[in-house]
Amino acid sequence: MYLLVPRQISEIKQLLSGKTKVVLTTHSNPDGDAIGSSMAMLRYLQKKGLEVTAIVPNHYPGFLAWMPGVEQMLVYERDAKACQRALGEAQLVFCLDYNALSRVGIMTEILKRSEAPRILIDHHIEPQLDEFTYSFTTTDTSSTAELVYDFMVMMGDTVMVDREISECLYAGIVTDTGSFSFAANNEKTYRITAELINNGLDPQKIHRLIYDTFSENRLRLLGHAICNRMQVWDDLHTALIYFDRKDLQDFDYQVGDAEGVVNFPLSMEKINLSVMLTERDKKIRISFRSKGDFSVNDLARKHFEGGGHKNAAGGNFYDTIPNTIKAVKQILSAYKNELNFKMDYR
Ligand code: MN
């Protein structure tokens, strides 16, 4: 846990006064917490009178398109020049919901070149502290959105948290906790949520906007995944789902359509690890979810050039789908004992 000490807080307050040019960055394949944290921060800093640009490396899922501010966001993949210009002129950079500069993918080099101080706000394990000027990071929280709220409080700006900011922050909390089903054992998460409701947030409305806006194809893709694309390896207490290029075409895949699919296999009592493979341009994107103490962060770091949290992580593999499945099974066979446990729910 790395909190900001009073001296750092007053330095940051200085940086946030006047007309400072600020750039907000977040990780590749941005999720609800990445976009929610960015949009909350965008509105907050704009209200403070700063010149703010929010950048994402690649496109965000459609179920986040309702969020206030997203229309101002620059997508690096689509508009590299404008993003480079903003980063070149930046006097301060926020790094939201990621723990190492490599997590911004195609933006990494250009971000490294910027000499502006970087403020990290994040909840992933093992942050690369040497890459940031200021680090506000802990794993003992539901989401980066929760820490962004803490940050606004630290800046003495609690009263600036309006309905729109509350909606963005809530989107981060609700998606990173699977609607308060994991990483939500901390009473503080609920106290902050209560504050957000107090500021005009309608939780049911946000829930509907995020979860009740599927296309028919997206729901059918989920059915297809579980019916036709799921392998269950009993001896490893593991289930694996894969989507190849043709699946994605057949169901007219849109960014975010596979979001959450990886969580379903864990609803089987016997399954402790869920793996999802998605065929991308030149690689296989892998998502991991686990129960209990089995760390998919360690697994992803060690074998799949990735990482994340103890029970939710991602990585990449550079081969075909069938070969990746073989490799995953091979790698997991070394974890057979660690994967053999029964959750005690009593
Ligand atoms: Mn997060």
Side-chain angles (χ1 to χ4, degrees), residues 235-237 272 294 332-342:
D235 56 328
L236 296 170
H237 299 270
N272 292 326
F294 188 81
L332 289 182
S333 63
Y335 292 87
K336 200 173 168 180
N337 290 331
E338 283 104 309
L339 283 165
N340 184 20
F341 61 87
K342 217 178 157 95

Side-chain angles (χ1 to χ4, degrees), residues 31 33-34 97 123-124 143-144 176 309:
D31 56 9
D33 193 27
D97 200 38
H123 67 134
H124 294 84
S143 55
T144 296
D176 255 28
H309 309 279

